[in-house]
């Protein structure tokens, strides 16, 4: 018999319990996923959601991934920041929360930044926390990688989340159209193939969207509209023959 995925029978929030004794149970928790391109304000929204819950006396645990600062935190480009717990692909999120409880800490909700880097199994762990432990989960992540494909964590969140919302906060292509896609730019030219690298959406300003390529090339990311992503056009006036090269 094929094992049933944990959230395969996930009931929507509109389902009414047959017994009608809902008052004896905690309010149903939810798994909510906010997604968008780089620079769309996901981390700012994550910190705002945390703030709103804190003001209601709830206790949250903030999680992130790919933070290279050594002091993990969720930081936004508008200057907000809060300490966070750094995850990796081996972290069992159920154990993480249970360890907090065992140490006497309340965890009413989770804020998960850089959620695109979660494994499918970790997204299933989040769904289990929602369904069996009534922990609300608010996940924030990139939609697609530089190849325009869904990140694995993003795909599983699309499949399992109670609510999926696109964040679109004034991130524009150079042409003024909404920026939808993240282009990887190596030594000034757009590339469409290669490994997906774990790099935080909100690296410190000098490093924002930049990383070191194993070969030593300068790598950065740029948000483009779909048309200019398709054409590989990074700016209004091509400056040379290399500008439109589609590697
Ligand atoms: Zn454009």
């Amino acid at each position: 018999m094929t094992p049933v995925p944990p959230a395969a029978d996930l009931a929507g929030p509109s389902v009414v319990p047959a017994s009608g004794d809902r008052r004896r149970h905690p309010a149903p928790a939810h798994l909510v996923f906010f997604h968008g391109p780089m620079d769309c304000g996901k981390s700012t929204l994550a910190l705002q959601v945390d703030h709103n819950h804190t003001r209601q006396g709830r206790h949250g645990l903030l999680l992130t991934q790919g933070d290279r600062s050594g002091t993990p935190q969720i930081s936004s480009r508008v200057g907000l920041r809060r300490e966070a717990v750094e995850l990796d692909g081996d972290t069992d999120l159920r154990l993480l929360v249970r360890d907090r409880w065992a140490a006497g800490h309340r965890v009413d909700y989770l804020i998960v930044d850089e959620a695109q880097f979660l494994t499918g199994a970790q997204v299933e762990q989040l769904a289990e926390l929602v369904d069996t432990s009534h922990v609300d989960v608010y996940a924030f992540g990139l939609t697609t990688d530089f190849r325009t494909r869904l990140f694995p964590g993003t795909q599983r969140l699309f499949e399992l989340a109670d609510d999926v919302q696109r964040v679109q906060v004034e991130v524009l292509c150079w042409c003024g159209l909404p920026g939808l896609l993240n282009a990887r730019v190596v030594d000034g030219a757009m590339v469409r193939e290669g490994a997906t690298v774990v790099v935080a959406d909100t690296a410190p300003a000098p490093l924002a969207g930049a990383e070191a390529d194993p070969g030593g090339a300068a790598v950065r990311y740029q948000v483009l509209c779909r048309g200019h992503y398709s054409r590989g056009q990074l700016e209004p006036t091509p400056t040379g023959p290399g500008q439109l090269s589609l590697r």
Side-chain angles (χ1 to χ4, degrees):
M1 180 181 136
T2 310
V4 178
D9 56 353
L10 198 70
S14 62
V15 174
V16 178
S19 62
D21 62 348
R22 192 174 194 152
R23 280 169 300 174
R24 297 214 305 245
H25 298 290
H30 294 99
L31 173 54
V32 185
F33 180 43
F34 299 88
H35 69 96
M38 297 181 71
D39 299 328
C40 75
K42 290 183 302 299
S43 296
T44 304
L45 181 60
L47 293 171
Q48 182 68 50
V49 168
D50 175 58
H51 177 73
N52 293 350
H53 284 271
T54 300
R55 278 178 44 163
Q56 294 172 30
R58 305 186 81 208
H59 293 254
L61 181 60
L62 281 65
L63 311 174
T64 189
Q65 204 166 159
D67 186 312
R68 299 172 178 192
S69 67
T71 54
Q73 58 188 7
I74 297 176
S75 58
S76 72
R77 290 192 168 87
V78 296
L80 306 170
R81 60 190 61 222
R82 272 208 59 193
E83 280 183 27
V85 173
E86 173 84 11
L87 304 178
D88 63 34
D90 296 325
T91 307
D92 186 322
L93 297 160
R94 298 163 301 186
L95 293 180
L96 186 74
V97 170
R98 284 167 196 159
D99 285 350
R100 291 280 160 155
W101 285 337
H105 299 290
R106 269 175 65 189
V107 179
D108 300 317
Y109 64 93
L110 297 178
I111 302 281
V112 187
D113 202 13
E114 310 292 353
Q116 71 274 11
F117 297 136
L118 296 171
T119 65
Q122 285 173 323
V123 175
E124 289 161 18
Q125 291 161 14
L126 291 174
E128 187 178 330
L129 281 167
V130 170
D131 295 335
T132 66
S133 303
H134 306 285
V135 174
D136 284 307
V137 176
Y138 303 94
F140 302 81
L142 298 176
T143 316
T144 53
D145 65 15
F146 70 99
R147 304 165 306 164
T148 72
R149 304 295 179 183
L150 292 176
F151 282 91
T154 300
Q155 180 179 340
R156 200 71 184 120
L157 281 160
F158 272 41
E159 292 162 348
L160 295 185
D162 297 291
D163 189 13
V164 175
Q165 298 189 24
R166 183 199 287 268
V167 182
Q168 189 74 56
V169 185
E170 294 180 358
V171 52
L172 302 177
C173 180
W174 55 263
C175 70
L177 285 175
L180 294 176
L181 300 170
N182 304 303
R184 177 182 284 182
V185 183
V186 178
D187 283 341
M190 187 174 149
V191 297
R192 299 162 191 274
E193 291 175 7
T196 297
V197 180
V198 176
V199 57
D201 186 24
T202 51
L207 294 170
E211 68 192 66
D213 188 61
V219 180
R220 65 183 177 87
Y221 290 90
Q222 181 174 340
V223 177
L224 296 173
C225 70
R226 190 175 54 227
H228 286 128
Y229 178 95
S230 298
R231 278 168 266 166
Q233 199 173 343
L234 299 171
E235 57 188 24
T237 49
T239 53
Q243 192 64 45
L244 291 171
S245 78
L246 308 179
R247 278 198 263 160

